[in-house]
Amino acid sequence: MNASVDTLAEQMLTLVEIVSAQERDIKALKEQCRRLEEHDQAIAVAFSTFFHVLSAGRVAKLSEIAHILNNIIKIAEQEGRPPASIKFLQDLAGMLPDEQR
């Protein structure tokens, strides 16, 4: 009987260690996701700023930029790019004024 209890106790301790390791992994993955989201947001802001600078400098109109961006989105969809990448491009296009999209 004592051997069974000892075996059960060892198995439970092993389970606790496994769960603890998984919790650490999940926490690390959540942090990595947060950093990637911040990185994506920073890129989106940079692109949006770049588009508006081009427009303000009369290098290109926002409507032309929107057209180019929409073409990039269509090509990305046709090529089967990852949904997250397409969503990023769509979010970027969403930063342009409504009348330009």
Side-chain angles (χ1 to χ4, degrees):
M1 185 75 165
N2 284 342
S4 296
V5 172
D6 289 343
T7 302
L8 185 58
E10 286 178 27
Q11 290 174 346
M12 291 184 77
L13 286 174
T14 301
L15 283 174
V16 168
E17 290 173 4
I18 291 170
V19 169
S20 294
Q22 289 176 340
E23 285 179 353
R24 284 191 300 273
D25 291 346
I26 289 170
K27 193 178 283 189
L29 287 171
K30 284 181 179 179
E31 177 60 23
Q32 186 177 6
C33 286
R34 185 191 61 75
R35 284 189 306 233
L36 287 172
E37 287 171 357
E38 288 176 357
H39 180 71
D40 282 355
Q41 290 171 357
I43 291 172
V45 169
F47 269 111
S48 178
T49 302
F50 177 68
F51 293 157
H52 286 85
V53 166
L54 286 177
S55 178
R58 302 193 194 286
V59 174
K61 295 178 185 174
L62 282 179
S63 60
E64 294 169 348
I65 294 168
H67 179 73
I68 291 168
L69 192 52
N70 286 326
N71 284 340
I72 292 170
I73 292 168
K74 285 180 193 173
I75 292 169
E77 290 171 336
Q78 291 170 352
E79 291 180 352
R81 299 291 177 168
S85 298
I86 294 170
K87 170 104 174 68
F88 174 77
L89 291 170
Q90 291 168 337
D91 290 346
L92 188 59
M95 297 179 88
L96 294 171
D98 287 336
E99 64 272 3
Q100 304 302 325
R101 287 187 246 152

